[in-house]
Coordinates of all heavy atoms in Angstrom, one line a residue:
I62 N 0.0 -1.2 -10.6 CA -0.6 0.1 -10.3 C -1.6 0.5 -11.4 O -2.7 1.0 -11.1 CB 0.5 1.3 -10.2 CG1 1.3 1.0 -9.0 CG2 -0.2 2.6 -10.1 CD1 2.5 2.0 -8.9
A63 N -1.4 0.2 -12.6 CA -2.3 0.4 -13.7 C -3.6 -0.3 -13.5 O -4.6 0.2 -14.0 CB -1.7 0.0 -15.0
H64 N -3.6 -1.5 -12.8 CA -4.8 -2.2 -12.5 C -5.8 -1.4 -11.5 O -7.0 -1.7 -11.5 CB -4.5 -3.6 -11.9 CG -4.4 -4.6 -12.9 ND1 -5.4 -5.0 -13.8 CD2 -3.2 -5.4 -13.3 CE1 -4.9 -5.9 -14.6 NE2 -3.7 -6.3 -14.3
G65 N -5.2 -0.4 -10.9 CA -6.0 0.2 -9.8 C -6.5 1.6 -10.2 O -6.4 2.6 -9.4
S66 N -6.9 1.8 -11.4 CA -7.3 3.1 -12.0 C -8.8 3.3 -11.9 O -9.6 2.4 -11.9 CB -6.9 3.2 -13.4 OG -7.6 2.4 -14.2
L67 N -9.2 4.6 -11.7 CA -10.5 5.0 -11.8 C -10.7 6.1 -12.6 O -10.1 7.1 -12.5 CB -11.0 5.4 -10.4 CG -12.4 6.0 -10.2 CD1 -13.5 5.0 -10.5 CD2 -12.6 6.5 -8.7
R68 N -11.6 6.1 -13.7 CA -12.0 7.1 -14.6 C -13.3 7.7 -14.2 O -14.3 7.0 -14.4 CB -11.9 6.7 -16.1 CG -12.2 7.9 -17.0 CD -12.2 7.4 -18.4 NE -13.4 6.7 -18.8 CZ -13.7 6.2 -20.0 NH1 -12.9 6.5 -21.0 NH2 -14.9 5.6 -20.2
I69 N -13.4 9.0 -13.8 CA -14.7 9.7 -13.6 C -14.8 10.7 -14.7 O -13.9 11.6 -14.8 CB -14.6 10.3 -12.2 CG1 -14.5 9.2 -11.1 CG2 -15.8 11.2 -12.0 CD1 -14.3 9.8 -9.8
T70 N -15.8 10.6 -15.4 CA -16.0 11.6 -16.5 C -17.5 12.3 -16.3 O -18.4 11.6 -16.3 CB -15.9 11.0 -17.9 OG1 -16.6 9.7 -18.0 CG2 -14.4 10.8 -18.2
L71 N -17.5 13.6 -16.3 CA -18.6 14.4 -15.9 C -19.3 14.9 -17.3 O -18.8 14.7 -18.3 CB -18.2 15.6 -15.1 CG -17.3 15.3 -14.0 CD1 -16.8 16.5 -13.2 CD2 -17.9 14.3 -13.0
S72 N -20.5 15.5 -17.1 CA -21.1 16.1 -18.1 C -21.8 17.5 -17.8 O -21.7 17.8 -16.6 CB -22.3 15.2 -18.7 OG -23.4 15.3 -17.9
E73 N -22.4 18.1 -18.7 CA -23.1 19.4 -18.3 C -24.2 19.2 -17.4 O -24.7 20.1 -16.8 CB -23.5 20.1 -19.6 CG -24.6 19.4 -20.4 CD -25.1 20.2 -21.5 OE1 -25.9 21.2 -21.2 OE2 -24.8 20.0 -22.7
Y74 N -24.6 17.9 -17.3 CA -25.8 17.6 -16.3 C -25.3 17.3 -15.0 O -26.1 17.1 -14.1 CB -26.6 16.5 -16.8 CG -27.2 16.7 -18.3 CD1 -27.1 15.7 -19.3 CD2 -27.8 17.9 -18.6 CE1 -27.5 16.0 -20.6 CE2 -28.3 18.2 -19.9 CZ -28.2 17.2 -20.9 OH -28.7 17.5 -22.1
T75 N -24.0 17.1 -14.8 CA -23.5 16.7 -13.5 C -23.7 17.8 -12.5 O -23.3 19.0 -12.8 CB -22.0 16.3 -13.6 OG1 -21.8 15.3 -14.5 CG2 -21.4 15.9 -12.2
T76 N -24.2 17.6 -11.3 CA -24.3 18.6 -10.3 C -23.2 18.7 -9.3 O -22.5 17.7 -9.0 CB -25.7 18.4 -9.6 OG1 -25.6 17.3 -8.8 CG2 -26.8 18.3 -10.5
E77 N -23.1 19.7 -8.5 CA -22.2 19.8 -7.4 C -22.5 18.8 -6.4 O -21.5 18.2 -5.7 CB -22.1 21.2 -6.8 CG -21.0 21.4 -5.8 CD -20.7 22.8 -5.5 OE1 -21.5 23.7 -5.9 OE2 -19.7 23.1 -4.8
E78 N -23.8 18.5 -6.1 CA -24.1 17.5 -5.1 C -23.6 16.1 -5.6 O -23.2 15.3 -4.7 CB -25.7 17.5 -5.0 CG -26.2 18.7 -4.3 CD -26.3 20.0 -5.2 OE1 -26.2 19.8 -6.4 OE2 -26.4 20.9 -4.7
E79 N -23.7 15.8 -6.9 CA -23.1 14.5 -7.3 C -21.7 14.5 -7.2 O -21.1 13.4 -6.8 CB -23.6 14.3 -8.8 CG -25.0 14.1 -9.0 CD -25.6 14.0 -10.4 OE1 -24.9 14.7 -11.2 OE2 -26.5 13.3 -10.7
A80 N -20.9 15.6 -7.5 CA -19.5 15.6 -7.3 C -19.2 15.4 -5.8 O -18.2 14.6 -5.5 CB -19.0 16.9 -7.7
D81 N -19.9 16.0 -4.9 CA -19.6 15.9 -3.4 C -19.9 14.4 -3.1 O -19.2 13.9 -2.1 CB -20.5 16.8 -2.7 CG -20.2 18.3 -2.8 OD1 -18.9 18.5 -3.2 OD2 -20.9 19.1 -2.6
Y82 N -20.9 13.8 -3.6 CA -21.3 12.4 -3.3 C -20.1 11.5 -3.7 O -19.7 10.5 -2.9 CB -22.5 11.9 -4.0 CG -23.1 10.6 -3.5 CD1 -23.6 10.4 -2.3 CD2 -23.0 9.5 -4.5 CE1 -24.0 9.1 -1.9 CE2 -23.4 8.3 -4.1 CZ -24.0 8.0 -2.9 OH -24.5 6.8 -2.5
I83 N -19.5 11.7 -4.9 CA -18.3 11.0 -5.3 C -17.2 11.1 -4.3 O -16.5 10.2 -3.9 CB -17.9 11.3 -6.7 CG1 -19.0 11.0 -7.7 CG2 -16.6 10.8 -7.1 CD1 -18.7 11.6 -9.1
I84 N -16.9 12.4 -4.0 CA -15.9 12.7 -3.0 C -16.1 12.0 -1.7 O -15.2 11.6 -1.0 CB -15.7 14.2 -2.8 CG1 -15.3 14.9 -4.1 CG2 -14.9 14.6 -1.7 CD1 -15.4 16.3 -4.3
E85 N -17.3 12.0 -1.2 CA -17.7 11.3 0.0 C -17.4 9.8 0.0 O -17.0 9.2 1.1 CB -19.2 11.6 0.3 CG -19.7 10.9 1.6 CD -21.2 11.0 1.7 OE1 -21.8 11.9 1.0 OE2 -21.8 10.1 2.5
K86 N -17.9 9.2 -1.1 CA -17.8 7.7 -1.1 C -16.5 7.1 -1.5 O -16.2 6.0 -1.0 CB -19.0 7.2 -2.0 CG -20.3 7.6 -1.6 CD -20.7 7.0 -0.2 CE -22.0 7.3 0.3 NZ -22.3 6.8 1.7
V87 N -15.7 7.7 -2.4 CA -14.6 7.0 -3.0 C -13.5 6.7 -1.8 O -13.0 5.6 -1.7 CB -13.9 7.8 -4.1 CG1 -12.5 7.2 -4.4 CG2 -14.9 7.8 -5.3
P88 N -13.1 7.6 -0.9 CA -12.2 7.3 0.1 C -12.5 6.1 1.0 O -11.6 5.2 1.2 CB -12.1 8.5 0.9 CG -12.5 9.6 0.1 CD -13.6 9.0 -0.8
G89 N -13.8 6.0 1.4 CA -14.2 4.8 2.2 C -14.0 3.5 1.4 O -13.7 2.4 2.0
V90 N -14.5 3.5 0.1 CA -14.4 2.4 -0.7 C -12.9 1.9 -0.9 O -12.5 0.8 -0.8 CB -15.0 2.5 -2.1 CG1 -14.7 1.4 -3.0 CG2 -16.5 2.7 -1.9
V91 N -12.0 2.8 -1.1 CA -10.6 2.5 -1.3 C -10.0 1.9 0.0 O -9.3 1.0 0.0 CB -9.8 3.8 -1.7 CG1 -8.3 3.6 -1.6 CG2 -10.2 4.3 -3.1
E92 N -10.4 2.6 1.1 CA -9.9 2.1 2.4 C -10.3 0.6 2.7 O -9.6 -0.2 3.1 CB -10.4 3.0 3.5 CG -9.9 2.5 4.9 CD -10.3 3.5 6.0 OE1 -11.2 4.4 5.7 OE2 -10.0 3.2 7.1
R93 N -11.6 0.4 2.4 CA -12.2 -1.0 2.6 C -11.5 -2.0 1.7 O -11.2 -3.1 2.1 CB -13.7 -0.9 2.3 CG -14.3 -2.3 2.3 CD -14.4 -2.9 3.7 NE -15.0 -4.2 3.7 CZ -14.6 -5.3 4.3 NH1 -13.5 -5.2 5.1 NH2 -15.3 -6.4 4.4
L94 N -11.2 -1.7 0.5 CA -10.6 -2.6 -0.4 C -9.1 -2.8 0.0 O -8.6 -4.0 -0.2 CB -10.7 -2.1 -1.9 CG -12.1 -2.1 -2.6 CD1 -12.0 -1.4 -3.9 CD2 -12.5 -3.5 -2.7
R95 N -8.5 -1.8 0.5 CA -7.0 -2.0 1.0 C -7.0 -2.8 2.1 O -6.0 -3.6 2.3 CB -6.5 -0.6 1.2 CG -6.1 0.1 -0.1 CD -5.5 1.5 0.2 NE -4.9 2.1 -1.0 CZ -4.6 3.4 -1.1 NH1 -4.8 4.2 0.0 NH2 -4.1 3.9 -2.2
E96 N -8.1 -2.9 2.9 CA -8.0 -3.7 4.1 C -8.1 -5.2 3.7 O -7.6 -6.1 4.5 CB -9.3 -3.4 5.0 CG -9.2 -2.1 5.7 CD -10.5 -1.7 6.4 OE1 -11.5 -2.5 6.2 OE2 -10.5 -0.7 7.1
M97 N -8.6 -5.5 2.5 CA -8.7 -6.9 2.1 C -7.7 -7.3 1.0 O -7.6 -8.3 0.5 CB -10.1 -7.1 1.3 CG -11.3 -6.8 2.2 SD -12.9 -7.2 1.4 CE -12.9 -5.8 0.2
S98 N -6.7 -6.3 0.8 CA -5.8 -6.5 -0.3 C -4.4 -6.9 0.2 O -3.8 -6.3 1.0 CB -5.6 -5.1 -1.1 OG -4.5 -5.3 -2.0
P99 N -4.0 -8.2 -0.3 CA -2.6 -8.6 0.1 C -1.6 -7.8 -0.5 O -0.5 -7.7 0.0 CB -2.7 -10.1 -0.5 CG -3.7 -10.2 -1.5 CD -4.7 -9.2 -1.1
V100 N -1.9 -7.2 -1.7 CA -0.9 -6.3 -2.3 C -0.7 -5.1 -1.4 O 0.5 -4.7 -1.3 CB -1.5 -5.9 -3.8 CG1 -0.5 -4.8 -4.4 CG2 -1.6 -7.1 -4.7
W101 N -1.7 -4.5 -0.9 CA -1.6 -3.3 -0.1 C -0.8 -3.7 1.2 O 0.0 -2.9 1.7 CB -3.0 -2.8 0.3 CG -2.9 -1.6 1.2 CD1 -3.3 -1.7 2.5 CD2 -2.6 -0.3 1.0 NE1 -3.1 -0.4 3.1 CE2 -2.6 0.4 2.1 CE3 -2.1 0.3 -0.2 CZ2 -2.4 1.8 2.2 CZ3 -1.7 1.7 -0.1 CH2 -1.8 2.5 1.1
E102 N -1.0 -4.9 1.7 CA -0.4 -5.4 2.9 C 1.0 -5.5 2.7 O 1.9 -5.1 3.6 CB -1.0 -6.7 3.4 CG -0.5 -7.2 4.6 CD -1.1 -8.6 5.1 OE1 -2.0 -9.0 4.5 OE2 -0.6 -9.2 6.1
R103 N 1.5 -6.0 1.5 CA 2.8 -6.2 1.3 C 3.5 -4.8 1.1 O 4.6 -4.6 1.5 CB 3.1 -7.0 0.0 CG 2.8 -8.5 0.1 CD 3.4 -9.3 -1.0 NE 2.8 -8.9 -2.3 CZ 1.6 -9.5 -2.8 NH1 1.1 -10.5 -2.1 NH2 1.2 -9.2 -3.9
M104 N 2.8 -3.9 0.4 CA 3.3 -2.5 0.3 C 3.6 -1.8 1.6 O 4.7 -1.2 1.9 CB 2.3 -1.6 -0.5 CG 2.2 -1.9 -1.9 SD 1.0 -0.8 -2.7 CE 1.6 0.9 -2.2
M105 N 2.7 -2.0 2.6 CA 2.9 -1.4 4.0 C 4.0 -2.1 4.7 O 4.7 -1.5 5.4 CB 1.5 -1.6 4.7 CG 0.5 -0.7 4.1 SD 0.8 1.0 4.0 CE 1.3 1.3 2.3
Q106 N 4.2 -3.4 4.5 CA 5.3 -4.1 5.2 C 6.6 -3.7 4.6 O 7.6 -3.7 5.3 CB 5.1 -5.6 5.0 CG 3.9 -6.1 5.7 CD 3.6 -7.6 5.5 OE1 4.1 -8.2 4.5 NE2 2.8 -8.2 6.3
N107 N 6.7 -3.3 3.3 CA 8.0 -3.0 2.7 C 8.4 -1.5 2.9 O 9.4 -1.1 2.4 CB 7.9 -3.4 1.2 CG 7.8 -4.8 1.0 OD1 8.3 -5.6 1.8 ND2 7.2 -5.3 -0.1
Q108 N 7.4 -0.8 3.5 CA 7.9 0.7 3.6 C 8.9 0.9 4.7 O 8.9 0.1 5.7 CB 6.5 1.4 4.0 CG 5.7 1.7 2.8 CD 4.6 2.8 3.2 OE1 4.1 2.9 4.3 NE2 4.1 3.4 2.1

């Protein structure tokens, strides 16, 4: 689990539009990577 971390650190120059862009893109990227992940597949099988 520790291998799957993401650190996002903002600054005073970060805009709301940039925050929204992060929120828009991260879920799709996570979903795509899970589709290719044997670890995720095993997790789903063991549920």
Side-chain angles (χ1 to χ4, degrees):
I62 295 179
H64 269 298
S66 67
L67 173 66
R68 183 184 71 176
I69 296 167
T70 44
L71 315 176
S72 82
E73 65 174 284
Y74 304 132
T75 305
T76 66
E77 187 164 7
E78 289 75 18
E79 290 174 330
D81 289 340
Y82 187 73
I83 292 170
I84 292 166
E85 174 192 339
K86 295 301 180 184
V87 171
V90 170
V91 171
E92 182 178 5
R93 175 67 179 136
L94 290 172
R95 283 174 172 172
E96 289 173 354
M97 300 184 291
S98 170
V100 175
W101 178 253
E102 184 178 357
R103 286 195 300 270
M104 283 180 58
M105 294 300 98
Q106 290 173 348
N107 294 331
Q108 280 192 336

